[in-house]
mmCIF file of all heavy atoms in Angstrom:
data_model
loop_
_atom_site.group_PDB
_atom_site.id
_atom_site.type_symbol
_atom_site.label_atom_id
_atom_site.label_comp_id
_atom_site.label_asym_id
_atom_site.label_seq_id
_atom_site.Cartn_x
_atom_site.Cartn_y
_atom_site.Cartn_z
ATOM 1 N N ALA A 249 0.485 17.212 12.800
ATOM 2 C CA ALA A 249 0.845 15.810 12.838
ATOM 3 C C ALA A 249 -0.121 14.893 12.149
ATOM 4 O O ALA A 249 0.308 13.960 11.394
ATOM 5 C CB ALA A 249 1.050 15.398 14.332
ATOM 6 N N PRO A 250 -1.483 15.038 12.329
ATOM 7 C CA PRO A 250 -2.413 14.120 11.608
ATOM 8 C C PRO A 250 -2.239 14.198 10.112
ATOM 9 O O PRO A 250 -2.392 13.237 9.423
ATOM 10 C CB PRO A 250 -3.752 14.590 12.073
ATOM 11 C CG PRO A 250 -3.520 15.315 13.375
ATOM 12 C CD PRO A 250 -2.166 15.979 13.255
ATOM 13 N N TYR A 251 -1.955 15.431 9.536
ATOM 14 C CA TYR A 251 -1.795 15.564 8.110
ATOM 15 C C TYR A 251 -0.482 14.899 7.693
ATOM 16 O O TYR A 251 -0.469 14.322 6.549
ATOM 17 C CB TYR A 251 -1.713 17.059 7.760
ATOM 18 C CG TYR A 251 -3.007 17.815 8.054
ATOM 19 C CD1 TYR A 251 -3.048 18.632 9.190
ATOM 20 C CD2 TYR A 251 -4.080 17.741 7.188
ATOM 21 C CE1 TYR A 251 -4.213 19.336 9.440
ATOM 22 C CE2 TYR A 251 -5.238 18.388 7.460
ATOM 23 C CZ TYR A 251 -5.388 19.185 8.593
ATOM 24 O OH TYR A 251 -6.511 19.892 8.822
ATOM 25 N N THR A 252 0.502 14.887 8.524
ATOM 26 C CA THR A 252 1.769 14.175 8.214
ATOM 27 C C THR A 252 1.507 12.669 8.015
ATOM 28 O O THR A 252 1.976 12.030 7.046
ATOM 29 C CB THR A 252 2.831 14.436 9.279
ATOM 30 O OG1 THR A 252 2.967 15.831 9.487
ATOM 31 C CG2 THR A 252 4.156 13.790 8.893
ATOM 32 N N ILE A 253 0.766 12.123 8.965
ATOM 33 C CA ILE A 253 0.345 10.681 8.855
ATOM 34 C C ILE A 253 -0.477 10.432 7.683
ATOM 35 O O ILE A 253 -0.261 9.439 6.896
ATOM 36 C CB ILE A 253 -0.331 10.283 10.204
ATOM 37 C CG1 ILE A 253 0.561 10.407 11.394
ATOM 38 C CG2 ILE A 253 -0.897 8.794 10.026
ATOM 39 C CD1 ILE A 253 -0.089 10.200 12.707
ATOM 40 N N GLU A 254 -1.468 11.299 7.425
ATOM 41 C CA GLU A 254 -2.318 11.147 6.236
ATOM 42 C C GLU A 254 -1.582 11.137 4.943
ATOM 43 O O GLU A 254 -1.823 10.293 4.031
ATOM 44 C CB GLU A 254 -3.339 12.222 6.285
ATOM 45 C CG GLU A 254 -4.356 12.164 5.093
ATOM 46 C CD GLU A 254 -5.320 13.335 5.088
ATOM 47 O OE1 GLU A 254 -5.661 13.861 6.253
ATOM 48 O OE2 GLU A 254 -5.818 13.762 4.025
ATOM 49 N N GLU A 255 -0.621 12.062 4.839
ATOM 50 C CA GLU A 255 0.185 12.159 3.571
ATOM 51 C C GLU A 255 1.033 10.918 3.395
ATOM 52 O O GLU A 255 1.204 10.426 2.269
ATOM 53 C CB GLU A 255 1.040 13.397 3.572
ATOM 54 C CG GLU A 255 0.290 14.705 3.530
ATOM 55 C CD GLU A 255 -0.673 14.874 2.340
ATOM 56 O OE1 GLU A 255 -0.595 14.058 1.427
ATOM 57 O OE2 GLU A 255 -1.508 15.800 2.400
ATOM 58 N N ALA A 256 1.570 10.335 4.436
ATOM 59 C CA ALA A 256 2.333 9.059 4.350
ATOM 60 C C ALA A 256 1.466 7.944 3.854
ATOM 61 O O ALA A 256 1.894 7.149 3.012
ATOM 62 C CB ALA A 256 2.894 8.705 5.754
ATOM 63 N N TYR A 257 0.182 7.904 4.317
ATOM 64 C CA TYR A 257 -0.703 6.909 3.821
ATOM 65 C C TYR A 257 -1.098 7.119 2.377
ATOM 66 O O TYR A 257 -1.291 6.133 1.603
ATOM 67 C CB TYR A 257 -2.027 6.885 4.647
ATOM 68 C CG TYR A 257 -1.924 6.053 5.880
ATOM 69 C CD1 TYR A 257 -2.010 6.691 7.131
ATOM 70 C CD2 TYR A 257 -1.666 4.658 5.886
ATOM 71 C CE1 TYR A 257 -1.947 5.928 8.339
ATOM 72 C CE2 TYR A 257 -1.579 3.925 7.020
ATOM 73 C CZ TYR A 257 -1.692 4.587 8.278
ATOM 74 O OH TYR A 257 -1.602 3.819 9.401
ATOM 75 N N GLU A 258 -1.195 8.387 1.905
ATOM 76 C CA GLU A 258 -1.435 8.657 0.526
ATOM 77 C C GLU A 258 -0.310 8.182 -0.358
ATOM 78 O O GLU A 258 -0.509 7.739 -1.485
ATOM 79 C CB GLU A 258 -1.624 10.220 0.323
ATOM 80 C CG GLU A 258 -2.868 10.793 1.006
ATOM 81 C CD GLU A 258 -4.148 10.366 0.374
ATOM 82 O OE1 GLU A 258 -4.124 9.833 -0.797
ATOM 83 O OE2 GLU A 258 -5.184 10.483 0.956
ATOM 84 N N VAL A 259 0.927 8.261 0.130
ATOM 85 C CA VAL A 259 2.055 7.733 -0.610
ATOM 86 C C VAL A 259 1.914 6.221 -0.773
ATOM 87 O O VAL A 259 2.059 5.652 -1.871
ATOM 88 C CB VAL A 259 3.403 8.028 0.102
ATOM 89 C CG1 VAL A 259 4.556 7.276 -0.474
ATOM 90 C CG2 VAL A 259 3.715 9.517 0.043
ATOM 91 N N VAL A 260 1.551 5.535 0.308
ATOM 92 C CA VAL A 260 1.358 4.071 0.245
ATOM 93 C C VAL A 260 0.240 3.686 -0.717
ATOM 94 O O VAL A 260 0.331 2.748 -1.462
ATOM 95 C CB VAL A 260 1.015 3.553 1.694
ATOM 96 C CG1 VAL A 260 0.706 2.040 1.599
ATOM 97 C CG2 VAL A 260 2.257 3.734 2.572
ATOM 98 N N ASP A 261 -0.823 4.486 -0.702
ATOM 99 C CA ASP A 261 -1.943 4.188 -1.631
ATOM 100 C C ASP A 261 -1.549 4.331 -3.073
ATOM 101 O O ASP A 261 -1.908 3.488 -3.882
ATOM 102 C CB ASP A 261 -3.088 5.184 -1.306
ATOM 103 C CG ASP A 261 -4.279 4.979 -2.252
ATOM 104 O OD1 ASP A 261 -4.910 3.926 -2.249
ATOM 105 O OD2 ASP A 261 -4.634 5.958 -3.024
ATOM 106 N N ALA A 262 -0.749 5.368 -3.377
ATOM 107 C CA ALA A 262 -0.285 5.548 -4.751
ATOM 108 C C ALA A 262 0.595 4.371 -5.191
ATOM 109 O O ALA A 262 0.527 3.890 -6.319
ATOM 110 C CB ALA A 262 0.522 6.835 -4.907
ATOM 111 N N ILE A 263 1.408 3.887 -4.254
ATOM 112 C CA ILE A 263 2.273 2.712 -4.532
ATOM 113 C C ILE A 263 1.388 1.484 -4.749
ATOM 114 O O ILE A 263 1.623 0.688 -5.705
ATOM 115 C CB ILE A 263 3.246 2.483 -3.390
ATOM 116 C CG1 ILE A 263 4.284 3.588 -3.341
ATOM 117 C CG2 ILE A 263 3.996 1.138 -3.569
ATOM 118 C CD1 ILE A 263 5.154 3.623 -2.062
ATOM 119 N N ASP A 264 0.391 1.271 -3.937
ATOM 120 C CA ASP A 264 -0.456 0.133 -4.032
ATOM 121 C C ASP A 264 -1.194 0.142 -5.400
ATOM 122 O O ASP A 264 -1.461 -0.945 -5.965
ATOM 123 C CB ASP A 264 -1.524 0.096 -2.902
ATOM 124 C CG ASP A 264 -0.944 -0.275 -1.591
ATOM 125 O OD1 ASP A 264 0.205 -0.851 -1.563
ATOM 126 O OD2 ASP A 264 -1.584 -0.086 -0.540
ATOM 127 N N ARG A 265 -1.555 1.296 -5.920
ATOM 128 C CA ARG A 265 -2.235 1.411 -7.147
ATOM 129 C C ARG A 265 -1.345 1.390 -8.375
ATOM 130 O O ARG A 265 -1.801 1.416 -9.520
ATOM 131 C CB ARG A 265 -3.079 2.694 -7.165
ATOM 132 C CG ARG A 265 -4.284 2.682 -6.215
ATOM 133 C CD ARG A 265 -5.214 3.933 -6.303
ATOM 134 N NE ARG A 265 -4.591 5.060 -5.722
ATOM 135 C CZ ARG A 265 -3.998 6.080 -6.318
ATOM 136 N NH1 ARG A 265 -3.973 6.108 -7.702
ATOM 137 N NH2 ARG A 265 -3.515 7.147 -5.692
ATOM 138 N N GLY A 266 -0.021 1.504 -8.082
ATOM 139 C CA GLY A 266 0.913 1.483 -9.189
ATOM 140 C C GLY A 266 0.868 2.748 -9.997
ATOM 141 O O GLY A 266 1.267 2.740 -11.210
ATOM 142 N N ASP A 267 0.381 3.834 -9.392
ATOM 143 C CA ASP A 267 0.267 5.108 -10.120
ATOM 144 C C ASP A 267 1.523 6.003 -9.832
ATOM 145 O O ASP A 267 1.554 6.687 -8.799
ATOM 146 C CB ASP A 267 -0.996 5.835 -9.698
ATOM 147 C CG ASP A 267 -1.367 6.991 -10.580
ATOM 148 O OD1 ASP A 267 -0.447 7.657 -11.020
ATOM 149 O OD2 ASP A 267 -2.582 7.327 -10.711
ATOM 150 N N LEU A 268 2.521 5.967 -10.707
ATOM 151 C CA LEU A 268 3.723 6.716 -10.449
ATOM 152 C C LEU A 268 3.496 8.228 -10.552
ATOM 153 O O LEU A 268 4.241 9.048 -9.928
ATOM 154 C CB LEU A 268 4.823 6.294 -11.393
ATOM 155 C CG LEU A 268 5.301 4.824 -11.234
ATOM 156 C CD1 LEU A 268 6.430 4.510 -12.209
ATOM 157 C CD2 LEU A 268 5.693 4.508 -9.778
ATOM 158 N N GLY A 269 2.537 8.628 -11.346
ATOM 159 C CA GLY A 269 2.248 10.130 -11.423
ATOM 160 C C GLY A 269 1.721 10.586 -10.078
ATOM 161 O O GLY A 269 2.155 11.631 -9.605
ATOM 162 N N ASP A 270 0.799 9.875 -9.495
ATOM 163 C CA ASP A 270 0.230 10.212 -8.203
ATOM 164 C C ASP A 270 1.362 10.073 -7.176
ATOM 165 O O ASP A 270 1.385 10.902 -6.208
ATOM 166 C CB ASP A 270 -0.906 9.262 -7.792
ATOM 167 C CG ASP A 270 -2.240 9.860 -8.261
ATOM 168 O OD1 ASP A 270 -2.253 10.907 -8.937
ATOM 169 O OD2 ASP A 270 -3.300 9.258 -7.906
ATOM 170 N N LEU A 271 2.225 9.076 -7.289
ATOM 171 C CA LEU A 271 3.314 8.912 -6.339
ATOM 172 C C LEU A 271 4.169 10.113 -6.271
ATOM 173 O O LEU A 271 4.573 10.586 -5.159
ATOM 174 C CB LEU A 271 4.136 7.622 -6.672
ATOM 175 C CG LEU A 271 5.316 7.376 -5.742
ATOM 176 C CD1 LEU A 271 4.877 7.219 -4.268
ATOM 177 C CD2 LEU A 271 6.105 6.147 -6.218
ATOM 178 N N CYS A 272 4.508 10.663 -7.431
ATOM 179 C CA CYS A 272 5.313 11.885 -7.484
ATOM 180 C C CYS A 272 4.645 13.035 -6.706
ATOM 181 O O CYS A 272 5.298 13.731 -5.921
ATOM 182 C CB CYS A 272 5.565 12.298 -8.904
ATOM 183 S SG CYS A 272 6.515 13.828 -9.166
ATOM 184 N N GLU A 273 3.399 13.221 -6.932
ATOM 185 C CA GLU A 273 2.624 14.316 -6.285
ATOM 186 C C GLU A 273 2.517 14.059 -4.836
ATOM 187 O O GLU A 273 2.680 15.014 -3.997
ATOM 188 C CB GLU A 273 1.224 14.415 -6.919
ATOM 189 C CG GLU A 273 0.437 15.578 -6.331
ATOM 190 C CD GLU A 273 -0.862 15.840 -7.153
ATOM 191 O OE1 GLU A 273 -0.963 15.413 -8.328
ATOM 192 O OE2 GLU A 273 -1.727 16.500 -6.578
ATOM 193 N N GLU A 274 2.231 12.804 -4.440
ATOM 194 C CA GLU A 274 2.054 12.512 -2.967
ATOM 195 C C GLU A 274 3.363 12.624 -2.244
ATOM 196 O O GLU A 274 3.409 13.055 -1.074
ATOM 197 C CB GLU A 274 1.455 11.109 -2.821
ATOM 198 C CG GLU A 274 0.078 10.943 -3.387
ATOM 199 C CD GLU A 274 -0.942 11.903 -2.773
ATOM 200 O OE1 GLU A 274 -0.677 12.416 -1.689
ATOM 201 O OE2 GLU A 274 -2.030 12.011 -3.350
ATOM 202 N N LEU A 275 4.472 12.297 -2.861
ATOM 203 C CA LEU A 275 5.796 12.455 -2.198
ATOM 204 C C LEU A 275 6.052 13.988 -1.997
ATOM 205 O O LEU A 275 6.660 14.324 -0.951
ATOM 206 C CB LEU A 275 6.880 11.846 -3.079
ATOM 207 C CG LEU A 275 6.954 10.333 -3.102
ATOM 208 C CD1 LEU A 275 7.962 9.833 -4.104
ATOM 209 C CD2 LEU A 275 7.381 9.813 -1.666
ATOM 210 N N GLY A 276 5.566 14.792 -2.904
ATOM 211 C CA GLY A 276 5.741 16.244 -2.732
ATOM 212 C C GLY A 276 4.899 16.699 -1.539
ATOM 213 O O GLY A 276 5.329 17.518 -0.715
ATOM 214 N N ASP A 277 3.676 16.151 -1.373
ATOM 215 C CA ASP A 277 2.862 16.504 -0.234
ATOM 216 C C ASP A 277 3.457 16.110 1.069
ATOM 217 O O ASP A 277 3.456 16.800 2.053
ATOM 218 C CB ASP A 277 1.453 15.874 -0.379
ATOM 219 C CG ASP A 277 0.627 16.432 -1.486
ATOM 220 O OD1 ASP A 277 0.980 17.529 -2.031
ATOM 221 O OD2 ASP A 277 -0.360 15.776 -1.939
ATOM 222 N N LEU A 278 4.136 14.919 1.052
ATOM 223 C CA LEU A 278 4.806 14.479 2.239
ATOM 224 C C LEU A 278 6.025 15.320 2.532
ATOM 225 O O LEU A 278 6.307 15.656 3.751
ATOM 226 C CB LEU A 278 5.217 12.997 2.063
ATOM 227 C CG LEU A 278 5.850 12.292 3.292
ATOM 228 C CD1 LEU A 278 4.885 12.339 4.493
ATOM 229 C CD2 LEU A 278 6.229 10.885 2.999
ATOM 230 N N LEU A 279 6.742 15.725 1.503
ATOM 231 C CA LEU A 279 7.866 16.571 1.693
ATOM 232 C C LEU A 279 7.458 17.959 2.304
ATOM 233 O O LEU A 279 8.155 18.502 3.134
ATOM 234 C CB LEU A 279 8.630 16.815 0.352
ATOM 235 C CG LEU A 279 9.825 17.762 0.380
ATOM 236 C CD1 LEU A 279 10.888 17.284 1.367
ATOM 237 C CD2 LEU A 279 10.364 17.935 -1.036
#
């Protein structure tokens, strides 16, 4: 569960930074 929450935050961070490459990878981690 803590990793699930952490990955969701990583998705938000990629969005905040406007890094679509990272967003793709972080969405995979969340999936």
Side-chain angles (χ1 to χ4, degrees):
Y251 296 102
T252 307
I253 296 171
E254 180 182 330
E255 295 301 349
Y257 276 117
E258 293 290 345
V259 168
V260 174
D261 177 61
I263 293 171
D264 286 345
R265 290 185 285 106
D267 191 328
L268 296 184
D270 269 6
L271 177 59
C272 178
E273 184 171 338
E274 296 300 345
L275 286 171
D277 291 344
L278 185 58
L279 177 59

